[in-house]
């Protein structure tokens, strides 16, 4: 019993030492207010980087670089606050949801995202984000907020220089020639898709889906009426969607590969029966087919849009050039703010390396 008690004391003492180490201050940024960067905050950011790049651990040199990044972020966000720049919670929420909406190929609300993650993974949104980013949802949103503030501040200081950067015609055409094989259309179809969530009443959801299908079947001109109804977005979701013949597309729709292959055997004008998925009842109508083809530089990137391959490359190359300049400008600004009166580095040299020597 005594050995067990001593073991417990040693265990709890070790936990206390570990907690104290995590709370050790590494630096204090005090340009506009006093903000402390602790070992725990640095560990959170290091975990985020490891998750993003699939790394087991980071060497001490990279942890030191991350610490300098955190100092730079706080310097710029404090400078922005001093000049009255800020972002709203709704802007942060938009940025948060955009991350997932781009992956899903459709705009979702946070409640819809929570429901989707729960159904697909069995996890809460907070747990999923923790696994994906190493941060809790609130920590991830705080990170996004700081990035938005930094973007706003740097842009306010370097607006003319950033806007002057643009892709040249030569850069665009060279990029097309080097990546020509990647600009292709898979077989695609434009569908009118209607989905009725099950909610707590499967029978009512099936009945509504059947009623909507019968309305459309009786008069295909009812398509706009169904799309423009006040019930669209509340009792059901209906709209046009372009579907590619890919496994990724099947996954996004919650369809099997067999169901997707069956779809591509249909002709324009086909109307499906109401089918049941794990979360809803749905049906679709085939509006138009698009055959697979290689794209020339003047072709549109997606059917029934106006953005050509040339436009797409111009936008992306310009964005890359601006992003590179933006990073350099942010570093230049933070360096000018990094003076002893604004930053107090609590740990340096061997003392810092000792605190950063975690796995």
């Amino acid at each position: 019993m005594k050995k067990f008690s001593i073991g417990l004391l040693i265990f709890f003492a070790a936990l206390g030492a570990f907690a104290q180490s995590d709370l050790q201050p590494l630096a204090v940024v005090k340009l506009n207010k006093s903000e402390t960067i602790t070992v725990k905050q640095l560990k959170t950011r290091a975990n985020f980087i490891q998750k993003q790049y699939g790394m087991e651990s980071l060497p001490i040199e990279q942890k030191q670089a991350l610490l300098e990044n955190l100092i730079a972020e706080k310097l710029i966000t404090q400078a922005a606050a001093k000049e009255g720049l800020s972002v709203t919670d709704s802007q942060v929420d938009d940025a948060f949801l955009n991350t997932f909406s781009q992956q899903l190929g459709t705009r979702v609300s946070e409640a819809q995202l929570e429901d989707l993650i729960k159904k697909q993974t069995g996890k809460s949104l907070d747990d999923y984000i923790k696994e994906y980013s190493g941060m809790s949802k609130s920590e991830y949103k705080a990170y996004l907020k700081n990035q938005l503030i930094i973007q706003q501040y740097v842009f306010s200081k370097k607006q003319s220089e950033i806007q002057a950067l643009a892709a040249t015609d030569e850069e665009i055409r060279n990029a097309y020639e080097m990546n020509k094989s990647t600009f292709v259309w898979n077989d695609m179809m434009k569908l009118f898709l209607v989905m009725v969530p099950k909610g707590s009443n499967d029978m009512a959801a099936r009945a509504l889906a059947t009623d909507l299908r019968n309305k459309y079947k009786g008069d295909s001109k009812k398509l706009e009426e169904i799309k423009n109804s006040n019930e669209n977005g509340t009792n059901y979701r209906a709209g046009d969607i372009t579907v590619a013949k890919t496994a990724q597309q099947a996954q996004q729709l919650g369809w099997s590969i067999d169901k997707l292959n069956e779809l591509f055997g249909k002709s324009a004008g086909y109307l499906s029966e109401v089918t049941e998925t794990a979360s809803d009842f749905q049906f679709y109508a085939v509006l138009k087919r698009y055959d697979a083809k290689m794209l020339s530089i003047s072709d549109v990137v997606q059917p029934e849009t106006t953005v050509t391959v040339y436009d797409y490359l111009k936008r992306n190359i310009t964005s890359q050039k601006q992003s590179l300049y933006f990073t350099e400008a942010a570093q230049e600004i933070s360096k000018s703010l990094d003076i002893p009166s604004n930053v107090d580095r609590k740990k340096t040299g061997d003392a810092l390396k000792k605190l950063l020597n975690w796995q």
Side-chain angles (χ1 to χ4, degrees), residues 217-256:
K217 183 180 180 181
D219 182 1
S220 60
K221 294 178 182 178
K222 295 287 186 180
L223 182 149
E224 294 301 324
E225 181 180 320
I226 295 171
K227 284 198 291 188
N228 295 329
S229 169
N230 291 332
E231 290 186 75
N232 191 5
T234 54
N235 295 340
Y236 63 85
R237 296 198 299 274
D240 297 344
I241 180 174
T242 301
V243 176
K245 194 177 182 181
T246 65
Q248 182 183 13
Q249 184 76 80
Q251 184 180 19
Q252 289 174 350
L253 290 169
W255 290 4
S256 66

Side-chain angles (χ1 to χ4, degrees), residues 85-239:
L85 298 178
S86 63
V87 296
T88 64
D89 289 343
S90 62
Q91 288 174 302
V92 175
D93 288 341
D94 282 344
F96 172 76
L97 291 172
N98 280 341
T99 304
F100 294 94
S101 296
Q102 287 172 10
Q103 295 174 18
L104 295 169
T106 184
R107 182 69 181 172
V108 291
S109 67
E110 191 162 323
Q112 289 171 330
L113 181 61
E114 178 88 50
D115 185 55
L116 183 65
I117 294 297
K118 188 71 175 177
K119 285 173 179 172
Q120 290 189 353
T121 69
K123 298 183 174 100
S124 69
L125 180 57
D126 194 64
D127 287 342
Y128 178 79
I129 292 170
K130 187 86 173 179
E131 183 179 306
Y132 161 76
S133 70
M135 299 180 183
S136 66
K137 183 172 71 172
S138 60
E139 287 172 334
Y140 188 59
K141 284 189 176 184
Y143 166 78
L144 287 176
K145 183 174 185 177
N146 283 339
Q147 301 311 305
L148 291 173
I149 291 171
I150 290 168
Q151 288 175 19
Q152 189 182 82
Y153 184 78
V154 174
F155 189 76
S156 72
K157 300 298 180 185
K158 302 287 185 179
Q159 181 175 350
S160 58
E161 293 92 332
I162 292 171
Q163 289 180 331
L165 293 169
T168 65
D169 181 73
E170 182 180 7
E171 287 172 330
I172 295 166
R173 294 187 183 280
N174 284 342
Y176 173 73
E177 289 301 323
M178 294 297 293
N179 299 279
K180 188 183 294 186
S181 63
T182 66
F183 290 104
V184 296
W185 275 0
N186 288 301
D187 288 324
M188 288 184 281
M189 279 190 173
K190 180 181 178 182
L191 307 180
F192 173 54
L193 177 65
V194 178
M195 297 180 290
V196 182
K198 289 181 177 178
S200 59
N201 191 331
D202 287 14
M203 291 182 63
R206 183 190 291 274
L208 176 56
T210 302
D211 286 346
L212 290 169
R213 181 185 181 278
N214 290 338
K215 179 185 287 188
Y216 179 84
K217 183 180 180 181
D219 182 1
S220 60
K221 294 178 182 178
K222 295 287 186 180
L223 182 149
E224 294 301 324
E225 181 180 320
I226 295 171
K227 284 198 291 188
N228 295 329
S229 169
N230 291 332
E231 290 186 75
N232 191 5
T234 54
N235 295 340
Y236 63 85
R237 296 198 299 274

Side-chain angles (χ1 to χ4, degrees), residues 59-76:
I60 287 177
E61 293 75 16
Q62 287 191 22
K63 293 172 186 174
Q64 287 177 299
L66 276 181
L67 173 59
E68 293 304 312
N69 285 345
L70 284 173
I71 291 171
E73 285 179 17
K74 289 195 180 296
L75 281 168
I76 296 177

Side-chain angles (χ1 to χ4, degrees), residues 261-274:
N261 285 331
E262 180 185 341
L263 163 66
F264 278 87
K266 307 302 181 184
S267 303
Y270 172 80
L271 177 63
S272 77
E273 298 296 329
V274 172

